[in-house]
């Protein structure tokens, strides 16, 4: 979980993002219990209905499922689903805007490949 | 606790503070009552808490008028900024005396809260600092577990850590013992998160009542190249415009459809939310201009 | 839930009772202190009667207690979810019981003084009043509750109306004190005349009756003044 909320996104979306991040990073494994709304409310000092709105969205997206009287748990296949969705977003947002900017600067796709190789090498060093 | 205000007018003599106010509050929600200073928030809450009668219209609490209604009055607790200068009792005794009037009072919880707020319980209430006086009232307000608990600027004088504690305890106890809570405040940015539904009073009447999340969806900041931003926000209610070089940022009061959001994305326009405080400022400003 | 009226009565009794204890302690110390001093000085005659003197002081105390029974108290009760009705009846009940208690205490103190006088040879000053002991005690009790009601009536007037009206009604309260004087203070009493005419007891009955009526009237007016009281949340 991230310790603070920022104002660039509605709060309930930030809540879902935090839980999703934890699942993607493997901090929250499939079948494990997600943070309870009580914990989230106390931690972020926000109205329970806001937390619930975020949680319910995750239930609708089949990332979490409800166990009556116990709490919310990470659904089987949740991580795969999230990875797939993020992959899609990655392509549409990062790659999309990268290509746009590259177009503006006159960078060819070949150049981009080279740049990527270069950055990868630096990262490995 | 279910509350229904029907065409309420409040005022002294021929002067009306509020006119034709109607609303309905559901059970077990946290409401935020917002309004600029002197708009009649406290007057409205006073009527709700049976501190006074409305001039016209009526307010119904679980189907009954609260004024001089013993059964209803004991379930309503109104924490307001009273000075407590005459309270010579020690904190402990003062709380115990108040507790006698409240059927759901939890003494252990009150003790716990006093410890959390570092209240010297053997000191006379009147000798406490402003912040601690507020804290004592908050303790009374929470431990009474009244079906309708109203906090009207209850945190005045509290420092930031004490206010955080207050917010935390309100939410914690609200989840364990659901009840209707009304928070009247001008510290909107601090308390916005706690609120489920917003009521805004302006210009002598109720400007709006809306689910907070829905209200927040109404406000969007559109940022990008000037012409594109202007074109995108054409025909929408603009609340605020800012410009830096060729980049422009316009705050609009409009719920965007998915299609519009897609369009914005395609045009490289950045969409951002608007904070409740910001939205409140512009909504109440607009109404004033209308009246002006 | 216990009866709110009783609860208010208990708490008002606690509050006003505590003031009463202070008053009583200070008063008794001054009275007997002065008495002892006079004896030591060599003047063995106390120049005032205990019952009359205590009544004079205590009724002023009740008048002040009445004044203090309005603003802070009604705000306190309504803030705690108590109706104005329960505030009124509970507080009035507490005051009447306190008046009775204080009357008993003064009666007992008078008894002690009489005994002490018999043992030490002090001369107990007798009052000029034509009233016998029960009459004296009744006089104390009724004067206490009436002074209390007048005090409350005056502060309720200021609470309810513009200060100017409050001032006018203060004069009404002052006038009522004069009326009480006519009921109970024998030297001035118009009823002394009746008591001379009728053979004993009648004047006392008339005073009790008129005092009760006046008290009920004042109570009704205070109730009217506080029935709809606005409590300002400041």
């Amino acid at each position: 979980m991230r310790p603070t909320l920022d104002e660039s996104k509605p709060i309930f979306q930030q809540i879902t993002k935090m839980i999703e991040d934890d699942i993607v990073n493997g901090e929250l494994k499939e079948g494990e219990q997600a943070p309870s709304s009580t914990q989230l409310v106390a931690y972020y000092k926000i109205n329970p209905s806001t937390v619930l709105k975020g949680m319910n969205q995750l239930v609708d997206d089949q990332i979490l499922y409800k166990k009556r009287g116990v709490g919310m748990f990470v659904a089987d296949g949740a991580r795969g689903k999230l990875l797939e969705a993020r992959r899609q977003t990655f392509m549409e947002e990062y790659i999309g805007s990268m290509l746009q900017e590259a177009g503006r600067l006159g960078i060819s796709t070949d150049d981009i490949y080279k740049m990527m190789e270069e950055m990868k090498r630096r990262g490995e060093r | 606790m279910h509350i229904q205000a029907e065409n309420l007018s409040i005022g002294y003599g021929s002067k009306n503070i509020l006119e034709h106010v109607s609303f309905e509050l559901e059970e077990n929600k946290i409401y935020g009552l917002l309004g600029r200073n002197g708009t009649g928030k406290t007057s409205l809450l006073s009527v709700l808490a049976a501190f006074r009668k409305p001039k016209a219209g009526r307010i119904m609490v679980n189907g009954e008028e609260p004024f001089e209604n013993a059964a209803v009055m004991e379930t309503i607790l109104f924490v307001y900024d009273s000075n407590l200068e005459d309270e010579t009792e020690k904190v402990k005794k003062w709380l115990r005396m108040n507790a006698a009037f409240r059927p759901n009072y939890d003494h252990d919880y009150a003790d716990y809260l006093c410890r959390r707020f570092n209240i010297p319980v053997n000191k006379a209430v009147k000798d406490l600092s402003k912040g601690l006086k507020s804290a004592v009232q908050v303790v009374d307000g929470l431990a009474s577990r009244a079906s309708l608990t109203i906090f009207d600027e209850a945190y005045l004088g509290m420092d930031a850590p004490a206010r955080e504690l207050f917010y935390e305890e309100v939410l914690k106890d609200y989840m364990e013992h659901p009840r209707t809570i009304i928070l009247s405040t001008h510290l909107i940015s601090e308390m916005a998160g706690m609120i489920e539904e917003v009521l805004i009073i302006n210009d002598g009447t109720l400007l709006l009542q809306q689910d907070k999340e829905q209200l927040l969806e109404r406000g969007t900041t559109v940022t990008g190249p000037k012409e594109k931003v202007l074109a995108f926000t054409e025909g929408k209610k603009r609340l605020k415009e800012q410009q830096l070089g060729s980049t422009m940022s316009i705050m609009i009061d409009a719920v965007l459809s998915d299609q519009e959001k897609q369009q914005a994305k395609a045009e490289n326009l950045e969409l951002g939310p608007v904070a409740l405080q910001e939205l409140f400022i512009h909504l109440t400003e607009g109404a004033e201009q209308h009246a002006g | 839930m216990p009866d709110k009226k009783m609860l208010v009565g208990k708490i008002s009794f606690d509050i006003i009772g505590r003031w009463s204890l202070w008053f009583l302690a200070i008063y008794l110390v001054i009275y007997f202190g002065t008495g002892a001093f006079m004896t030591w000085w060599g003047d063995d005659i106390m120049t005032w009667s205990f019952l009359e003197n205590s009544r004079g002081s205590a009724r002023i105390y009740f008048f002040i207690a009445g004044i203090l029974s309005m603003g802070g108290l009604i705000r306190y009760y309504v803030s705690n979810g108590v109706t104005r009705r329960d505030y009124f009846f509970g507080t009035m009940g507490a005051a009447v019981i306190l008046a009775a208690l204080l009357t008993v205490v003064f009666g007992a103190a008078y008894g002690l003084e009489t005994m002490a006088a018999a043992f030490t040879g002090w001369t107990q000053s007798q009052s000029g009043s034509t009233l016998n002991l029960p009459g004296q005690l009744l006089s104390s009790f009724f004067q206490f509750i009436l002074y209390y009601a007048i005090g409350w009536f005056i502060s309720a007037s200021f609470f309810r109306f513009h200060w100017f009206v409050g001032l006018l009604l203060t004069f009404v309260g002052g006038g009522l004190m004069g009326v009480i004087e006519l009921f109970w203070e024998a030297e001035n009493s118009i009823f002394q005349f009746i008591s001379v005419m009728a053979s004993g007891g009648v004047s006392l009955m008339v005073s009790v009756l008129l005092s009760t009526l006046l008290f009920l009237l004042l109570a009704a007016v205070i109730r009217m003044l506080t029935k709809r009281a606005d409590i300002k949340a400041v």
Side-chain angles (χ1 to χ4, degrees), chain C residues 115-187:
Chain C
M115 265 163 58
F119 278 114
T120 59
W122 289 349
T123 315
Q124 205 179 10
S125 167
Q126 293 305 317
S127 72
S129 168
T130 53
L131 289 169
N132 53 9
L133 184 61
Q136 294 265 7
L137 294 180
L138 278 175
S139 170
S140 289
F141 173 71
F142 278 103
Q143 292 202 42
F144 293 168
I145 60 170
L146 283 168
Y147 269 71
Y148 177 81
I150 290 172
W152 194 354
F153 163 71
I154 288 172
S155 55
S157 306
F158 277 104
F159 191 90
R160 178 75 179 76
F161 303 114
H162 191 258
W163 65 266
F164 186 71
V165 181
L167 209 59
L168 279 177
L169 291 174
T170 304
F171 288 120
V172 173
L176 288 175
M177 286 183 186
V179 173
I180 295 166
E181 213 65 12
L182 288 182
F183 290 171
W184 290 109
E185 298 300 316
E187 300 90 292

Side-chain angles (χ1 to χ4, degrees), chain B residues 3 8 25 47 60 111 144 156 183 267 270-271 282 284:
Chain B
I3 293 152
L8 213 56
L25 305 187
V47 167
M60 304 297 275
D111 291 344
S144 293
L156 287 179
L183 304 169
E267 289 180 28
E270 209 180 298
L271 300 180
H282 294 289
T284 52

Side-chain angles (χ1 to χ4, degrees), chain A:
Chain A
M1 287 192 285
R2 266 187 307 163
T4 49
L5 298 164
D6 61 46
E7 295 200 335
S8 66
K9 258 191 191 153
I11 293 171
F12 79 95
Q13 279 182 20
Q14 294 185 50
I15 302 271
T16 56
K17 175 117 196 316
M18 278 169 225
I19 294 171
E20 285 176 357
D21 281 349
D22 281 356
I23 295 172
V24 169
N25 298 340
E27 277 170 47
L28 203 55
K29 296 192 172 55
E30 289 171 10
E32 277 185 0
Q33 186 164 11
S36 70
S37 50
T38 315
Q39 284 172 314
L40 290 167
V41 166
Y43 198 80
Y44 295 108
K45 297 181 188 70
I46 49 172
N47 194 288
S49 70
T50 310
V51 171
L52 225 63
K53 191 172 171 183
M55 299 292 248
N56 284 338
Q57 191 175 326
L58 289 175
V59 171
D60 289 345
D61 296 347
Q62 291 175 322
I63 303 299
L64 298 181
Y65 67 96
K66 267 183 219 174
K67 257 191 211 170
R68 207 167 283 278
V70 189
M72 301 277 199
F73 291 82
V74 182
D76 285 339
R79 185 156 188 270
K81 210 172 280 170
L82 285 173
L83 282 176
E84 181 51 42
R86 295 240 165 148
R87 220 185 139 87
Q88 198 65 29
T89 318
F90 177 77
M91 189 180 84
E92 281 168 12
E93 289 183 2
Y94 285 81
I95 306 293
S97 50
M98 180 176 79
L99 289 176
Q100 243 170 8
E101 181 70 3
R104 266 199 289 271
L105 300 175
I107 300 173
S108 71
T109 316
D110 277 350
D111 287 343
I112 294 178
Y113 283 138
K114 278 179 201 144
M115 284 175 173
M116 278 163 58
E117 292 292 333
E118 168 68 18
M119 289 308 285
K120 212 174 162 196
R121 252 200 312 282
R122 281 195 214 175
E124 278 165 1
R125 228 189 295 146

Side-chain angles (χ1 to χ4, degrees), chain B residues 32-233:
Chain B
L33 178 63
L34 313 180
R36 304 188 151 204
N37 286 339
T39 44
K41 293 185 300 253
T42 301
S43 299
L44 176 63
L45 297 172
S46 296
V47 167
L48 196 48
F51 275 38
R52 54 184 300 183
K53 275 189 121 167
K55 224 170 106 181
R58 61 180 190 168
I59 199 146
M60 304 297 275
V61 174
N62 284 347
E64 292 180 60
E65 286 192 78
F67 195 81
E68 286 300 87
N69 186 328
V72 174
M73 279 176 75
E74 75 175 13
T75 60
I76 301 177
L77 194 144
F78 183 16
V79 179
Y80 55 96
D81 176 39
S82 63
N83 61 30
L84 301 179
E85 290 303 332
D86 305 325
E87 301 299 339
T88 51
E89 302 288 358
K90 287 177 180 170
V91 171
K92 218 195 249 173
K93 173 103 191 275
W94 189 78
L95 286 171
R96 236 191 2 250
M97 279 169 76
N98 291 348
F101 296 104
R102 301 297 179 177
N104 299 327
Y105 198 92
D106 185 334
H107 289 274
D108 291 339
Y109 183 48
D111 291 344
Y112 157 83
L113 288 173
C114 283
R115 283 196 302 275
R116 276 216 83 180
F117 282 106
N118 283 323
I119 300 169
V121 289
N122 287 315
K123 237 176 153 178
V125 174
K126 68 178 174 63
D127 294 333
L128 298 178
S129 68
K130 182 89 185 74
L132 284 175
K133 276 188 188 129
S134 296
V136 170
Q137 286 178 285
V138 162
V139 171
D140 184 49
L142 284 171
S144 293
R145 302 244 163 86
S147 319
L148 171 61
T149 307
I150 303 168
F151 290 108
D152 186 10
E153 310 278 15
Y155 45 72
L156 287 179
M158 281 187 182
D159 56 13
R163 289 202 301 273
E164 283 289 297
L165 212 61
F166 168 48
Y167 306 150
E168 194 183 315
E169 287 299 336
V170 167
L171 286 168
K172 209 168 96 188
D173 202 54
Y174 163 71
M175 280 195 295
E176 284 166 23
H177 303 272
R179 51 201 192 260
T180 308
I181 294 177
I182 301 178
L183 304 169
S184 168
T185 180
H186 66 260
L187 290 181
I188 300 173
S189 54
E190 267 190 33
M191 294 172 80
M194 302 170 74
I195 298 166
E196 180 166 357
E197 200 167 313
V198 178
L199 287 94
I200 297 180
I201 287 188
N202 197 50
D203 228 15
T205 192
L206 184 68
L207 183 68
L208 69 83
Q209 175 184 10
Q210 201 169 15
D211 178 85
K212 185 192 71 194
E213 299 290 339
Q214 280 173 14
L215 177 62
L216 287 176
E217 275 171 34
R218 272 174 62 170
T220 307
T221 328
V222 186
T223 311
K226 188 180 171 184
E227 302 79 45
K228 282 188 178 170
V229 172
L230 282 173
F232 185 79
T233 57

